[in-house]
Amino acid sequence: MDNRHAKELYKRLNQIQKDLDTIRERLATTKVSMRVYTEPEKQALNLVAQKLKDEQKKIKRDLKLQE
């Protein structure tokens, strides 16, 4: 694995973390001005979060193998 590939993996890891933070924030927000999510929408957001976490684990494993 070359340096450029590792850089792309780290870039993707950062984006995944931002996406997970956004999902977590949306699900936890109770402000009146914020949108209230229905149960199916919450389930969909949780499913997306789980897929992102799985991808995050895979990338971290790939980066460990590189070292």
Side-chain angles (χ1 to χ4, degrees):
M1 190 180 302
D2 63 9
N3 220 8
R4 189 172 2 139
H5 186 65
K7 186 176 179 180
E8 289 298 318
L9 289 177
Y10 281 114
K11 188 176 178 181
R12 180 65 184 139
L13 270 179
N14 288 336
Q15 185 59 50
I16 288 172
Q17 192 57 53
K18 287 179 187 176
D19 294 345
L20 286 171
D21 291 345
T22 300
I23 289 170
R24 199 172 297 118
E25 182 180 305
R26 286 183 181 186
L27 289 174
T29 301
T30 58
K31 294 179 184 173
V32 175
S33 63
M34 296 300 289
R35 186 174 186 283
V36 176
Y37 290 93
T38 63
E39 198 55 39
E41 289 171 323
K42 287 179 185 178
Q43 290 173 354
L45 285 170
N46 283 321
L47 182 62
V48 169
Q50 187 57 51
K51 289 184 183 291
L52 288 171
K53 287 176 189 175
D54 292 345
E55 183 179 355
Q56 188 179 43
K57 285 178 190 175
K58 182 185 178 297
I59 291 172
K60 286 180 179 179
R61 186 178 58 240
D62 291 349
L63 286 170
K64 272 189 181 177
L65 290 175
Q66 176 190 352
E67 294 172 353

